[in-house]
Amino acid sequence: MSVHDINESSVKFYKHIVDSLKEDKPLSVVRYGDGELVCVMNLKKGLGGHNADGDAYLPELGQAIKESIMQPIKDANFHHAFGAHCTVAGFVTELQKQRIWNAEIQFQDAFVFIHAGIDGRLQELIELLNKKHSIFVAPKYMHDININFDAIIEAPKTSAFRDAARLEKEIEEALHESEMSIVIMPIGMSAIPLIQSLFKKHGKKHTFLDFGSPFDAYVKSDVHRSHFDKIQNKLEL
């Protein structure tokens, strides 16, 4: 079974996200994949390196991701999502050996937005972003995406964690004073600590989504991801 195979739990989780946003009920999502877990593993081993996107395994980032697992936010509106392929690859076993894991976290499917982009269900979220107050935090090459964001904040293409203080400040300044803002954040591993920090201050009113790469298929870029070839129904942008 491929990570790109759409499954019932992913569909159910996506529906919960969309239904909540339709009703102006805020929620936040952080996602853990192989890059995030290797960043944590390298922390103990004293290794550097970077993931496939060139995102550096910074010690400070690894520590922040580790803390998000060992001391997770426990709130019904905060969701942790996990790539099941990481179990198959042995990453979870390695983390358990290092006593860095939390079996109490009820993980959702980390490919939730990828799956919705493959079969076209993501269109429903696009329509919500066009109608509601929305903020896009992303590298410059993604800014041409044809969605009516109310604010666009430029993030570094890699290692956005190094610029986390500025990003958090600009996001807070862009949040709507009276309405729920939906903040879309395709900024790699750095999304986890940034969303955690923002949720603690603004999660009862606003939505923060660790979005991943669904929009990469619709902008000019040298990035090609395997899920692009799986797209069945292209988004209308």
Side-chain angles (χ1 to χ4, degrees):
M1 182 176 180
S2 166
V3 294
H4 299 139
D5 291 339
I6 300 166
N7 59 75
E8 184 178 349
S9 62
S10 174
V11 171
K12 184 178 179 180
F13 182 38
Y14 179 76
K15 185 177 187 302
H16 171 68
I17 293 170
V18 170
D19 288 349
S20 297
L21 299 186
K22 284 180 178 178
E23 297 176 11
D24 291 322
K25 295 179 180 179
L27 80 171
S28 293
V29 178
V30 293
R31 303 175 313 109
Y32 300 81
D34 48 292
E36 287 77 9
L37 300 191
V38 172
C39 188
V40 174
M41 288 189 291
N42 283 5
L43 180 66
K44 185 171 183 178
K45 295 178 180 179
L47 302 175
H50 53 78
N51 69 6
D53 295 323
D55 216 354
Y57 295 140
L58 302 172
E60 299 87 351
L61 177 58
Q63 183 63 35
I65 296 173
K66 174 185 174 181
E67 290 175 1
S68 76
I69 295 172
M70 301 309 295
Q71 301 172 19
I73 290 175
K74 297 178 180 179
D75 190 292
N77 296 330
F78 192 92
H79 300 277
H80 301 79
F82 173 72
H85 66 293
C86 295
T87 301
V88 177
F91 297 145
V92 174
T93 299
E94 177 61 27
L95 285 170
Q96 288 172 333
K97 289 179 181 177
Q98 297 184 21
R99 298 185 179 181
I100 305 173
W101 195 245
N102 193 333
E104 295 182 359
I105 298 177
Q106 298 297 310
F107 285 107
Q108 299 289 347
D109 194 319
F111 289 88
V112 57
F113 300 117
I114 296 294
H115 292 160
I118 287 173
D119 66 9
R121 286 175 293 122
L122 197 61
Q123 191 68 47
E124 199 169 12
L125 178 57
I126 302 302
E127 292 170 3
L128 286 171
L129 295 175
N130 283 328
K131 293 176 182 177
K132 296 181 179 290
H133 189 268
S134 59
I135 301 168
F136 193 41
V137 185
K140 182 69 173 178
Y141 78 91
M142 299 186 70
H143 292 189
D144 290 335
I145 191 79
N146 191 24
I147 297 175
N148 187 30
F149 288 108
D150 293 275
I152 296 178
I153 296 170
E154 183 175 354
K157 189 174 181 179
T158 61
S159 302
F161 186 72
R162 291 190 172 110
D163 213 6
R166 175 188 65 83
L167 292 174
E168 184 164 352
K169 180 176 183 292
E170 292 188 14
I171 291 168
E172 289 182 311
E173 290 173 348
L175 293 172
H176 200 284
E177 291 186 3
S178 58
E179 300 175 12
M180 178 186 72
S181 296
I182 304 173
V183 186
I184 301 293
M185 302 170 64
I187 58 171
M189 298 183 291
S190 305
I192 293 175
L194 187 53
I195 288 176
Q196 279 211 311
S197 180
L198 287 163
F199 180 86
K200 290 174 181 177
K201 293 182 285 184
H202 307 287
K204 298 297 183 184
K205 182 177 179 180
H206 301 292
T207 289
F208 305 97
L209 301 179
D210 178 358
F211 196 68
S213 59
F215 290 161
D216 281 86
Y218 298 91
V219 297
K220 293 181 180 179
S221 169
D222 56 0
V223 176
H224 183 85
R225 303 181 186 276
S226 56
H227 66 82
F228 294 179
D229 302 323
K230 302 283 186 178
I231 295 175
Q232 302 163 6
N233 297 298
K234 288 190 174 183
L235 301 177
E236 296 179 10
L237 299 172

